[in-house]
Amino acid sequence: MLRFALRRILQIVPTVIVVALLIFIIFSVVPGSFAASLFSDGKRAADPQMIAQLNAQFGLDKPLTERFVTYATDLARFDLGTSFRTRQPVADLIGDRMWASLKLAIAAMVFAVIIGVPLGFLAALRPGSVLDTVTMVGAVSGLSMPQFWLGLLMMYLFALQLNWLPSFGYGDGSFRHLIMPAVTLGVTPLALLARTTRAGVLDVLSADFIRTAHSKGMSEAKVVRWHVTRNALVLIVTTVGLQFGSLIGQAVVIEKLFAWPGIGSLLVDSVAIRDIPVVQGTILVIVLWFLVINTAVDLIYAAIDPRIKQE
């Protein structure tokens, strides 16, 4: 198990290197610059001399290879650079907002799991029932529904019409401010979990060892508890992990919509003003988050199903 864990962890390193290289190349060739966005008022072009001076100040006038060497050297020292706009270390900017994003992702995932997994189980145990039909229709609707539209709908209903919840903002970090963005973000993984759980349970119920357990006189409750749940758990854990890993990236639109001060809104604001160090650092952190969660899922997967370690 230790060798398996080390192998999975070491696989993160080359992936991060490739992602960092791609991020640097992409944002080195995209049009526009921080200086141009800073000095332009939208009606007339910025002064080329002022742009050149600011580019020289930030080192953007240097050759691409030299800038990449500096970028790679800084990353090797775990230095994400300095923001063009605030002149603060990018790591500090991300650190200040990371907890808000994690809080939102955790709340959304908890909401998805506590509703989606039981619904999927019950639908699979009663195939063709009204519950099964309603669950699958709801799952398809949840997967098809744009999160941006759902968020606006919830803001209109619960904030403007009913005045039950605050429409946007972090406030003091209270639960009331968290409810709408967490539910909006959690609807898609909830729908996917319901469908995945139902499919996994139905697949296990049709297996030969389940029929053998029934033929030995084991009750339905024990079959579900000791055989169905554990074997279906592998697929459920994998889905939960992958969805949780991707929620930080998915939260970009939701954070901006609800004015939630996470790294997603930081990324959008930084892209708008071409603050490249912040954009590069934020994307790298989001990718690293996904890789770490994915690796953790692999380890849990191997603990549940020991055959994985032999592959």
Side-chain angles (χ1 to χ4, degrees), residues 47 79 90 103-104 113 152 261 266 298:
D47 185 353
D79 182 3
V90 174
K103 187 177 180 180
L104 177 59
V113 169
L152 290 174
L266 175 65
D298 286 342

Side-chain angles (χ1 to χ4, degrees), residues 39-76:
F39 291 124
S40 176
D41 60 3
K43 298 179 181 179
R44 56 184 177 179
D47 185 353
Q49 185 176 358
M50 297 178 67
I51 292 178
Q53 290 177 354
L54 200 59
N55 285 338
Q57 179 182 340
F58 293 138
L60 298 177
D61 59 337
K62 296 178 180 179
L64 184 63
T65 53
E66 185 177 344
R67 282 190 284 142
F68 176 72
V69 170
T70 303
Y71 173 68
T73 303
D74 289 342
L75 281 184

Side-chain angles (χ1 to χ4, degrees), residues 145-167:
M145 190 181 305
Q147 291 180 329
F148 187 83
W149 176 83
L150 177 61
L152 290 174
L153 183 64
M154 292 186 66
M155 290 171 67
Y156 174 76
L157 178 61
F158 295 108
L160 298 180
Q161 294 297 316
L162 300 177
N163 199 27
W164 288 355
L165 298 169
S167 58

Side-chain angles (χ1 to χ4, degrees), residues 271-289:
V271 168
I273 61 173
R274 304 296 194 274
D275 195 347
I276 301 303
V278 178
V279 175
Q280 291 174 333
T282 305
I283 294 177
L284 195 60
V285 167
I286 291 174
V287 171
L288 185 60
W289 166 260

